[in-house]
Amino acid sequence: MRKTLLYILSIILLQSCSWFDVGAESEIDEKDMFVNADGYYTALTGIYISMGSTELYGGNLTLTALEPLSQQYNVKEDDPDRVAWSQFKYTTDGGQELVSAIWLKMYNTIVNANMLLAKLPEAEGKIDSDVIDIIHGEALALRSLMYFDLMRMFNESYEVNPESGNVRFKTDFGFVLGKKMSNEQLIDAIISDLMQARDYLEKDPIYCNKAYSNRYLAYDRTQRMNYYAATALLARMEIYRGHYAEAAQYAEEVINSEKYRFILPEEILETDIYGVEQKADRIFMPEMIFALYCENILTVSRSYYEGLTGDFAKSANAYEDNDVRRAWLYQNPSANGKINMIRYQRSVKSEDAGKYGDPVVPMLKISEMYLILAECNLNGIETRENALSLLNTIKQKRGEAALPATATTQTLWNELTHEYICDFRGEGQLFYYYKRRNLRAVDDGNYNGNTVSVPASAYVLPLPDYEKQFGY
């Protein structure tokens, strides 16, 4: 009997509201898909492309959904659904559309990864065995990253309730529903997968320095889920569940690799004598452990953050005068002095393309490893003095004043939060930090001592209606 698969749920989930509304045009012979090496490379590349969609990291999981929840912006007033969302009111029609888009696209992409993983044993003889291992590691690690973010959005935080379990763990590409797991069960499962992925990625050229002739591996490895990205993700996951020794170990491994460095001030912006940009790197590419190639982020940023209307940063008060991250903000005289967030801004003229690097979204970066290690030290892994040294390293690299040796432990905790506020602008990560720490009063965006109260309910996005009603 000819075996077909519904490849890859993208047509199912994007064209319908149901797992069951499937047309014959969405069926494809899986043997045709994986007949040669190109099919495997195409399937893996498709996962990255899907992750870069506006539903996921090319929009919602960076700028559109998560960034407004950080309370750092004044949201466009003539978009009532978006205003409500920024106030943690998720049940408007617009809010429901947003969570539905995230949920469906994330599971769509996970199923893509599941299918590729299931077909990899058949790649033997079509692809070099080392390259098969690298593909295996990338797909496993990407799936772990997506499940972790689903957990961070739709479950209560691990600290509040390890038994919270709204996320289904699905490892196949059929119609069988995944099993709902608690925070504790799910993070055990995805960390186990991620550790296995890291083993596979020991073949990664960024780690083993082996030269491959394979054309897939010719891509910039910082734009792929590489060995050090998997290690950095392990650090992020371990600190999430309070395993500070393990988190410190993984963060130190990435730091000590010396593969990544803080950007130099002169690398951020180069202008001519008239102030016209000649080169610009507001992403801070030397710091990127994993940066997802994503052209969608440029359009989303222009639409929501760079214009004369839209979302404006409330202030630049969190940044000292010489902080290099001020390059991410622009006080726009044409918008009555309101502050645009321009992290992703670039000229739209084709002749200016050479002024910028690839359009990417930061996924994992070296500064986070320093912050994770500092937090682990504040939680007793090493000394308070080590935490102070790590925070001062970041401050020195950013152009901030150093903290004095007499800084209290509470001051160090406050400065840790301050660095998260400053360092993840436009990345959607600040909300996750607040949630992980279960902070119930957060900076209101003006960094003047005033706070916004965050109710417990704000830290759990509601499940889409169809998931609550039917479990699909």
Side-chain angles (χ1 to χ4, degrees):
M1 180 178 179
R2 183 174 181 236
K3 186 178 179 183
T4 60
L5 78 105
L6 300 170
Y7 177 67
I8 308 170
L9 283 188
S10 56
I11 297 175
I12 302 172
L13 297 183
L14 294 180
Q15 292 186 350
S16 67
C17 294
S18 166
W19 294 70
F20 311 111
D21 181 15
V22 182
E25 68 273 13
S26 66
E27 296 187 3
I28 180 173
D29 192 324
E30 68 186 67
K31 293 179 182 177
D32 291 342
M33 178 64 191
F34 295 102
V35 68
N36 56 31
D38 283 347
Y40 291 90
Y41 303 147
T42 299
L44 182 56
T45 301
I47 296 169
Y48 287 104
I49 291 171
S50 185
M51 290 176 68
S53 66
T54 55
E55 293 89 347
L56 298 183
Y57 301 95
N60 289 341
L61 302 189
T62 46
L63 299 180
T64 317
L66 294 186
E67 197 70 356
L69 300 182
S70 70
Q71 305 305 303
Q72 296 295 302
Y73 304 89
N74 287 315
V75 175
K76 187 177 180 180
E77 294 179 357
D78 63 358
D79 187 343
D81 280 348
R82 188 163 172 77
V83 171
W85 180 270
S86 72
Q87 298 169 346
F88 312 121
K89 300 170 185 176
Y90 304 135
T91 57
T92 65
D93 289 345
Q96 280 293 299
E97 289 175 6
L98 201 53
V99 296
S100 177
I102 293 168
W103 182 270
L104 289 175
K105 190 66 173 182
M106 195 76 99
Y107 274 104
N108 163 2
T109 313
I110 285 169
V111 170
N112 277 269
N114 291 347
M115 186 198 64
L116 175 58
L117 289 166
K119 302 303 295 182
L120 271 176
E122 300 175 18
E124 188 174 349
K126 303 170 186 174
I127 306 174
D128 179 81
S129 61
D130 283 359
V131 180
I132 292 174
D133 283 349
I134 293 169
I135 292 172
H136 199 154
E138 286 187 46
L140 267 180
L142 290 171
R143 188 176 73 181
S144 292
L145 184 153
M146 289 183 281
Y147 271 126
F148 183 53
D149 282 353
L150 281 170
M151 182 170 65
R152 291 199 291 175
M153 284 183 282
F154 292 97
N155 284 357
E156 295 174 83
S157 73
Y158 193 94
E159 177 180 319
V160 169
N161 182 10
E163 297 305 311
S164 178
N166 294 317
V167 176
R168 296 181 181 276
F169 188 54
K170 180 177 175 61
T171 58
D172 60 33
F173 56 93
F175 283 116
V176 177
L177 298 181
K179 177 184 177 182
K180 282 190 176 181
M181 287 186 171
S182 68
N183 271 330
E184 194 166 27
Q185 292 170 325
L186 183 56
I187 201 165
D188 279 346
I190 61 178
I191 283 180
S192 176
D193 279 350
L194 191 52
M195 292 176 71
Q196 184 182 9
R198 204 170 75 119
D199 289 341
Y200 282 119
L201 288 167
E202 287 182 355
K203 308 287 181 64
D204 192 334
I206 203 171
Y207 176 74
C208 69
N209 297 315
K210 178 178 177 180
Y212 292 92
S213 59
N214 181 275
R215 64 184 178 83
Y216 176 76
L217 296 182
Y219 287 108
D220 183 347
R221 293 302 296 167
T222 64
Q223 292 183 23
R224 294 294 184 268
M225 176 55 83
N226 60 73
Y227 173 88
Y228 291 109
T231 305
L233 183 56
L234 279 166
R236 182 185 281 178
M237 289 184 182
E238 292 290 14
I239 200 169
Y240 174 81
R241 66 174 178 177
H243 289 196
Y244 300 114
E246 291 84 352
Q249 173 190 336
Y250 292 127
E252 280 188 312
E253 181 179 351
V254 178
I255 292 169
N256 293 339
S257 75
E258 298 184 347
K259 298 281 185 179
Y260 313 96
R261 62 174 177 83
F262 287 95
I263 197 167
L264 301 174
E266 60 267 24
E267 294 175 309
I268 298 171
L269 187 63
E270 179 183 325
T271 63
D272 63 17
I273 59 173
Y274 303 105
V276 178
E277 283 188 1
Q278 299 302 300
K279 295 283 184 181
D281 179 6
R282 284 181 281 265
I283 299 297
F284 293 12
M285 282 306 298
E287 305 182 10
M288 294 299 113
I289 304 168
F290 172 32
L292 180 66
Y293 185 96
C294 176
E295 294 186 6
N296 291 314
I297 197 69
L298 305 180
T299 302
V300 173
S301 182
R302 290 183 195 116
S303 298
Y304 285 91
Y305 289 92
E306 297 173 17
L308 302 182
T309 62
D311 296 1
F312 292 96
K314 291 179 181 176
S315 81
N317 292 340
Y319 300 94
E320 294 181 16
D321 290 344
N322 294 322
D323 194 320
V324 296
R325 295 167 296 195
R326 278 186 170 267
W328 299 343
L329 300 176
Y330 171 65
Q331 191 164 2
N332 193 334
S334 299
N336 297 318
K338 293 179 180 178
I339 301 173
N340 290 124
M341 195 282 291
I342 59 169
R343 184 84 186 273
Y344 302 100
Q345 186 182 69
R346 57 176 65 200
S347 170
V348 297
K349 297 178 181 178
S350 58
E351 61 266 28
D352 289 339
K355 297 180 179 180
Y356 312 96
D358 289 336
V360 296
V361 171
M363 301 292 282
L364 292 152
K365 59 187 187 180
I366 193 63
S367 57
E368 183 181 1
M369 298 300 102
Y370 279 82
L371 292 170
I372 286 174
L373 191 53
E375 186 173 345
C376 290
N377 289 338
L378 287 173
N379 279 289
I381 296 306
E382 292 190 34
T383 65
R384 170 195 155 283
E385 286 73 23
N386 284 336
L388 172 65
S389 176
L390 288 158
L391 287 170
N392 274 340
T393 295
I394 294 176
K395 287 181 173 296
Q396 184 265 323
K397 298 296 185 181
R398 295 309 190 209
E400 300 175 277
L403 298 169
T406 55
T408 65
T409 299
Q410 185 56 56
T411 295
L412 297 183
W413 277 110
N414 293 343
E415 286 302 314
L416 181 78
T417 298
H418 169 242
E419 291 304 322
Y420 268 93
I421 291 170
C422 290
D423 214 68
F424 292 89
R425 179 76 61 171
E427 298 180 31
Q429 292 294 326
L430 181 56
F431 177 71
Y432 288 141
Y433 170 76
Y434 288 156
K435 179 173 179 175
R436 174 169 64 78
R437 294 278 314 279
N438 194 31
L439 300 181
R440 304 302 298 278
V442 303
D443 172 58
D444 72 350
N446 293 296
Y447 208 75
N448 58 8
N450 292 328
T451 60
V452 172
S453 177
V454 184
S457 59
Y459 284 134
V460 185
L461 299 190
L463 293 173
D465 284 340
Y466 49 77
E467 170 64 28
K468 289 185 288 189
Q469 294 173 12
F470 306 112
Y472 62 77

